[in-house]
Amino acid sequence: MSSENLRVDVWSDIACPWCYIGKRRFEAGEAAWREAGEGTTPAVDLVFHSFELSPDTPEDFEGDEADYLARHKGIDAGQARQMLDHVTGIAASVGLEYRFDMLKHTNTVLAHELIHFAAAQGVQLEMTERLMRAYFTEGRHLGREDELVALATEIGLDPEEAATALRDHTFRADVLADEAQARELGINGVPFFVIDGKWALSGAQEPATFASALAHAERERSAVPSPVSEGAGS
Amino acid sequence: MTSTDRLSAPLGGFTFVAPTQDACEGDACLLPSSEPLTETAGVTPPR
């Protein structure tokens, strides 16, 4: 990692529909910012952090996402399907195919552990993308070790090492540390982006907003010294 | 770099550069949110 690079920290959950949409919009915004910069823009170090939206979700739930919303959230089934259709349409607008009819609602803590395992191997972004596609598009069950190991293997990770890491919960502490830091920073919702340790964006912003924020961070970096940080502040 | 590299927020919190857009809070996250997050520890609202 070069100190010249712009670091972007992102808190997100695999099971968060806006997080995958936000990831696509950020990528589009970064591309637009880079194009406008005509080769002068710094590289971006994108770092994902764990955030479980619903840590009490069971590993297995019989039914689709609309059923889950209806049974656990008391939302009328028809209204739930309308909401899902709305999000599906927005996902399609950024090139994502959401299949809530196939989605396996599950606890995501193991998936987050796998992302940390992948990060330790230098392939965090690949793992995050693969898990999001598996969850929202392919109806894969991300609460199960065998499914997670298969997905890790697809991106070139060692299946035995991945299985051991998941079985031993080698990275559970890292997941919890990410979540503790989110609480310390006052992050209540995801996706949550922090550019250069200072500039924050909450939610699935439009690509143009991400592009502007990156340009802003780049300008500010050259204009003023970086702030000295001693914690989250309060 | 790994995800365990910890971010240090600036004193006074982050500066928002845009109002909050669609986001998930808890697992009731499928309705578009139009309200920006309120000020919380370590986070400052847009200036």
Side-chain angles (χ1 to χ4, degrees):
Chain A
M1 175 182 172
S2 164
S3 61
E4 299 300 314
N5 295 359
L6 270 185
R7 173 170 167 143
V8 180
D9 291 88
V10 189
W11 275 263
S12 76
D13 193 358
I14 296 299
C16 159
W18 296 114
C19 293
Y20 201 10
I21 292 167
K23 182 175 183 293
R24 277 292 179 279
R25 288 179 173 172
F26 177 84
E27 290 161 354
E30 182 190 351
W33 164 66
R34 209 167 285 295
E35 188 176 333
E38 297 177 342
T40 63
T41 52
V44 167
D45 293 320
L46 192 59
V47 182
F48 277 85
H49 300 279
S50 301
F51 190 104
E52 291 174 87
L53 283 167
S54 186
D56 58 346
T57 300
E59 180 186 326
D60 287 301
F61 174 77
E62 291 299 323
D64 66 14
E65 186 70 2
D67 294 329
Y68 180 85
L69 290 172
R71 276 192 236 167
H72 286 261
K73 296 295 150 191
I75 297 170
D76 173 78
Q79 186 191 359
R81 291 194 193 284
Q82 277 187 348
M83 290 158 60
L84 296 175
D85 287 346
H86 171 69
V87 177
T88 299
I90 293 173
S93 74
V94 295
L96 297 173
E97 183 186 11
Y98 277 12
R99 293 292 306 270
F100 286 110
D101 57 322
M102 294 165 50
L103 187 147
K104 304 286 190 302
H105 202 100
T106 188
N107 189 294
T108 59
V109 69
L110 266 188
H112 282 292
E113 290 179 33
L114 185 64
I115 290 173
H116 279 276
F117 169 72
Q121 319 286 318
V123 288
Q124 189 202 40
L125 296 185
E126 292 85 345
M127 193 77 258
T128 301
E129 175 67 27
R130 187 67 193 92
L131 290 176
M132 286 179 155
R133 181 157 59 89
Y135 186 78
F136 283 110
T137 303
E138 299 171 357
R140 304 282 287 269
H141 196 314
L142 300 192
R144 294 185 179 155
E145 181 190 308
D146 57 342
E147 284 273 48
L148 293 170
V149 170
L151 292 164
T153 306
E154 278 187 32
I155 66 159
L157 294 173
D158 183 272
E160 295 297 327
E161 290 180 9
T164 300
L166 293 176
R167 207 169 298 136
D168 294 348
H169 300 294
T170 311
F171 294 91
R172 178 68 59 95
D174 293 299
V175 174
L176 298 178
D178 275 355
E179 293 173 343
Q181 189 184 31
R183 285 192 296 275
E184 287 169 14
L185 296 172
I187 295 171
N188 303 314
V190 288
F192 193 95
F193 297 79
V194 179
I195 302 173
D196 226 13
K198 184 174 183 183
W199 312 104
L201 299 115
S202 177
Q205 301 282 343
E206 293 296 329
T209 305
F210 284 123
S212 296
L214 288 165
H216 177 77
E218 184 187 3
R219 278 196 308 273
E220 289 290 320
R221 173 191 269 193
S222 57
V224 294
S226 297
V228 176
S229 302
E230 296 179 1
S234 60
Chain B
M1 179 171 54
T2 74
S3 61
T4 54
D5 294 335
R6 297 282 163 225
L7 170 72
S8 296
L11 292 175
F14 301 126
T15 300
F16 278 87
V17 291
T20 295
Q21 289 295 312
D22 299 315
C24 290
E25 280 193 45
D27 58 355
C29 61
L30 296 171
L31 283 175
S33 165
S34 57
E35 294 298 320
L37 293 178
T38 53
E39 186 171 358
T40 51
V43 179
T44 53
R47 290 176 182 167

